[in-house]
Amino acid sequence: QKEVEQNSGPLSVPEGAIASLNCTYSDRGSQSFFWYRQYSGKSPELIMFIYSNGDKEDGRFTAQLNKASQYVSLLIRDSQPSDSATYLCAVNVYSGGGADGLTFGKGTHLIIQP
Amino acid sequence: DVKVTQSSRYLVKRTGEKVFLECVQDMDHENMFWYRQDPGLGLRLIYFSYDVKMKEKGDIPEGYSVSREKKERFSLILESASTNQTSMYLCAIGGGYEQYFGPGTRLTVT
């Protein structure tokens, strides 16, 4: 059974600070890891994915992956009020016949305080 | 721009009705997925398809079936809708390194 765990929050961060979101997963066979942002009433939108150990940066976002410890994190630098949303961590295990769907965590609700 | 459309944003159906939710993509992706999202339970995979007429069960397929007769269209079918199928239904397309979601259909079964 694949499981993805996130702290539900809310996580409150002052504007301009770094927001740190964490996620752990149970399946050591997981190969790809995703961060999605979801605003209330909207569908999830992909922020970034990572599949190699280490850091991956994209603008103000940095994803960090540690497969040995089975955790993945997302850092948001210079947090803005518009970053207030629920952040979903997801993992993928590729199977031979085609890609599996994603297994999602329940999400962390992030609040950026002006 | 990735375009995934779903047939309805809001739908209200009665218990026992047969319900069709449709998803259409314009990206020529092989893989299409159906999820449902519920408060406290998160997003859960119902079914997915990696080719025309091919389907695979996800984590919660009970009470659902799917149809993929054309590459661009993936339908989710509730054979006999029940109140516990009231949910937000999200279609997605993509491969191993990306999945893009449609706008969702909020289904209420009364």
Side-chain angles (χ1 to χ4, degrees), chain A residues 1-4 24-34 50-52 65-71 90-96 98-103, chain B residues 96-97:
Chain A
Q1 179 78 10
K2 294 175 281 188
E3 292 184 352
V4 178
T24 59
Y25 60 95
S26 62
D27 191 340
R28 286 195 173 272
S30 300
Q31 298 187 341
S32 303
F33 307 86
F34 303 79
I50 186 168
Y51 55 89
S52 298
L65 174 61
N66 184 322
K67 289 188 177 180
S69 300
Q70 295 177 249
Y71 85 79
V91 303
N92 166 286
V93 177
Y94 181 78
S95 67
D100 269 348
L102 299 178
T103 298
Chain B
Y97 296 137

Side-chain angles (χ1 to χ4, degrees), chain A residues 8-21 39 76 79-87 108-114:
Chain A
S8 61
L11 174 65
S12 187
V13 174
E15 183 176 357
I18 296 175
S20 178
L21 303 159
Y39 293 113
I76 307 175
S79 297
Q80 303 296 311
S82 59
D83 294 326
S84 298
T86 296
Y87 288 79
T108 297
H109 183 44
L110 175 66
I111 299 171
I112 305 300
Q113 293 185 325

Side-chain angles (χ1 to χ4, degrees), chain B residues 38-108:
Chain B
D38 302 287
L41 295 176
L43 269 159
R44 293 176 293 167
L45 179 65
I46 305 171
Y47 265 101
F48 66 99
S49 168
Y50 53 89
D51 201 351
V52 174
K53 296 190 186 295
M54 305 304 290
K55 60 184 179 184
E56 292 281 349
K57 293 180 180 179
D59 296 322
I60 52 163
E62 297 78 19
Y64 303 94
S65 62
V66 291
S67 172
R68 191 156 180 212
E69 297 296 320
K70 294 184 178 181
K71 189 175 186 180
E72 68 271 17
R73 190 178 297 266
F74 190 35
S75 301
L76 180 69
I77 303 159
L78 287 66
E79 297 290 343
S80 178
S82 64
T83 55
N84 63 13
Q85 292 178 311
T86 291
S87 187
M88 171 68 84
Y89 289 88
L90 290 156
C91 174
I93 67 170
Y97 296 137
E98 58 187 12
Q99 280 195 23
Y100 297 100
F101 286 84
T105 295
R106 184 164 293 282
L107 173 67
T108 302

